[in-house]
Amino acid sequence: QVQLVESGGGLVQAGGSLRLACAASGRTFNIVTIAWFRQAPGKEREFVGRITWSVGSTYYTDSVKGRFTISRDNAKNTVYLQMNSLKPEDTAVYYCATSRSLTYSSASSYDYWGQGTQVTVSS
């Protein structure tokens, strides 16, 4: 099993920045891909972006390209989501998730999920 704990959420004004962290523990050697998803009230869970654990290859959904950056620190078993130029529509609970395969945006491809961290962007 893999345990994931997100942190770093909060309230920020539009145009501001936040950095989320996702700390992994447990059977981390099985991790191939780590992704960030988000879910706004009344909406379905949405893919944000992902990074491959070994090479660090990233992939983002179009709405966050150029504003969000995913990075990893393998020594700390932690993945980060740097969010800049935040917009009110970025308001959501943000989740990290891991997969044992090389995958992209399908939530069903991910095996373990964190509990989520709230991000609220005020206008």
Side-chain angles (χ1 to χ4, degrees):
Q1 290 223 352
V2 174
Q3 293 78 42
L4 302 170
V5 178
E6 300 98 335
S7 61
L11 173 64
V12 64
Q13 288 189 333
S17 299
L18 278 176
R19 188 177 80 154
L20 307 184
C22 171
S25 60
R27 302 175 72 85
T28 58
F29 55 85
N30 281 338
I31 297 173
V32 174
T33 308
I34 294 186
W36 287 95
F37 288 79
R38 65 186 180 186
Q39 188 166 20
K43 294 188 177 181
E44 293 187 354
R45 191 166 295 189
E46 175 191 24
F47 171 80
V48 174
R50 70 91 162 120
I51 188 167
T52 59
W53 193 240
S54 59
V55 177
S57 173
T58 55
Y59 174 78
Y60 302 94
T61 193
D62 286 346
S63 62
V64 307
K65 284 181 181 176
R67 300 190 300 123
F68 291 11
T69 303
I70 299 175
S71 62
R72 83 219 189 281
D73 184 333
N74 294 64
K76 295 182 179 180
N77 285 339
T78 301
V79 169
Y80 302 97
L81 178 64
Q82 177 67 44
M83 304 185 294
N84 299 328
S85 301
L86 282 161
K87 304 174 182 180
E89 51 264 43
D90 294 318
T91 295
V93 177
Y94 283 71
Y95 300 88
C96 63
T98 64
S99 175
R100 290 169 289 180
S101 62
L102 178 63
T103 189
Y104 289 89
S105 60
S106 174
S108 62
S109 300
Y110 292 86
D111 311 297
Y112 298 103
W113 294 78
Q115 82 290 346
T117 185
Q118 176 71 48
V119 171
T120 303
V121 184
S122 63
S123 55

